[in-house]
């Protein structure tokens, strides 16, 4: 049987807004005047990145990378691949990865390794949400938004089979 999953609110619009503002203040403090390159991981980070950069009132650049780690549904495939690479040269740049969620850590660990080989001046990670209880490989998060329980999250860019990205809040799914 495949009953519709129930959505339960986890992070409200107000909490997300406050978190984005706090992260933007931390990033501004560290990157103002450094013309950083922000790399959003597609697709989940697009809303977060769009809201975040509206608070950053100094020169910066944006690029995107698309990685595949999950198959259909909620289980990771464990293997990460670059599906769409970045166009910008990152050698000698101050690079900040913008992620929606760190779960097992496999995706971000892969990306950090992949980008480090391209010799940026610095490489840091900002994530809106984190599920530390699911970690399989260690990941250093430099700018952390909200810590989440071990639940599958949707909304504010996060999807389940491409659905729910448009919700302005973050919910967790509960199967019936
Ligand atoms: P990781 O490699 O397991 O850390 O997973 C990272 C990627 O898996 C994220 O960029 C998301 O695209 C996806 N992901 C992990 N957990 C969730 C979740 O709870 N909801 C939606 N997507 C998730």
């Amino acid at each position: 049987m495949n009953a519709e999953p129930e959505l339960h609110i986890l992070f409200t619009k107000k909490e997300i807004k406050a978190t984005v503002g706090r992260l933007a203040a931390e990033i501004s403090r560290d990157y103002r005047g450094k013309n950083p390159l922000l790399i959003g991981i597609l697709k989940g980070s697009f809303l977060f990145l769009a809201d975040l950069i509206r608070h950053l009132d100094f020169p910066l650049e944006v690029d995107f990378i698309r990685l595949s780690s999950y198959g259909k549904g909620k289980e990771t495939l464990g293997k990460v691949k670059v599906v769409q690479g970045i166009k910008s040269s990152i050698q000698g740049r101050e690079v900040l990865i913008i992620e929606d969620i760190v779960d097992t850590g496999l995706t971000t660990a892969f990306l950090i390794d992949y980008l480090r080989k391209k010799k940026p001046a610095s490489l840091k990670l900002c994530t809106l949400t984190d599920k530390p209880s699911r970690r399989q490989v260690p990941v250093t998060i430099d700018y952390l938004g909200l810590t989440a329980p071990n639940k599958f999250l949707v909304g504010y860019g996060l999807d389940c089979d491409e659905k729910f990205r448009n919700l302005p809040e973050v919910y967790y799914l509960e199967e019936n």
Side-chain angles (χ1 to χ4, degrees):
M1 270 223 304
N2 233 346
E4 278 296 300
E6 258 181 47
L7 266 61
H8 301 268
I9 189 124
L10 182 62
F11 301 127
T12 61
K13 279 193 231 180
K14 203 172 154 196
E15 279 174 286
I16 294 170
K17 194 170 175 214
T19 302
V20 172
R22 170 177 60 79
L23 291 171
E26 293 174 20
I27 291 168
S28 299
R29 179 197 63 204
D30 297 346
Y31 285 94
R32 184 180 298 280
K34 294 185 174 171
N35 189 27
L37 174 65
L38 274 55
I39 300 181
I41 308 184
L42 291 173
K43 301 179 191 171
S45 71
F46 77 106
L47 278 187
F48 173 41
L49 178 60
D51 282 347
L52 183 72
I53 60 169
R54 272 179 267 203
H55 292 271
L56 305 180
D57 60 348
F58 53 85
L60 57 81
E61 290 173 29
V62 173
D63 207 337
F64 291 96
I65 192 163
R66 185 148 174 214
L67 304 169
S68 68
S69 60
Y70 271 59
K72 263 178 89 69
K74 297 186 240 161
E75 279 317 302
T76 179
L77 295 173
K79 281 209 155 174
V80 185
K81 276 195 322 200
V82 177
V83 178
Q84 187 189 314
I86 43 169
K87 299 277 181 283
S88 326
S89 160
I90 70 164
Q91 188 168 1
R93 299 289 308 267
E94 312 280 345
V95 176
L96 180 59
I97 299 167
I98 308 293
E99 177 59 305
D100 51 355
I101 188 161
V102 179
D103 183 30
T104 63
L106 290 164
T107 305
T108 28
F110 167 89
L111 183 60
I112 287 167
D113 192 51
Y114 173 86
L115 293 176
R116 203 166 267 148
K117 290 189 184 128
K118 298 181 185 290
K119 301 198 173 10
S122 71
L123 183 59
K124 287 190 180 178
L125 171 65
C126 170
T127 183
L128 179 68
T129 60
D130 179 29
K131 287 197 283 190
S133 59
R134 295 254 309 161
R135 204 70 94 247
Q136 289 178 24
V137 290
V139 171
T140 302
I141 298 172
D142 301 285
Y143 305 95
L144 170 62
L146 297 155
T147 301
N150 183 6
K151 306 262 190 201
F152 198 81
L153 312 188
V154 295
Y156 197 68
L158 290 159
D159 75 306
C160 181
D161 279 342
E162 297 301 327
K163 289 198 277 285
F164 309 120
R165 290 193 200 275
N166 53 319
L167 300 175
E169 304 86 6
V170 172
Y171 295 79
Y172 65 88
L173 288 184
E174 205 131 77
E175 306 286 346
N176 283 310

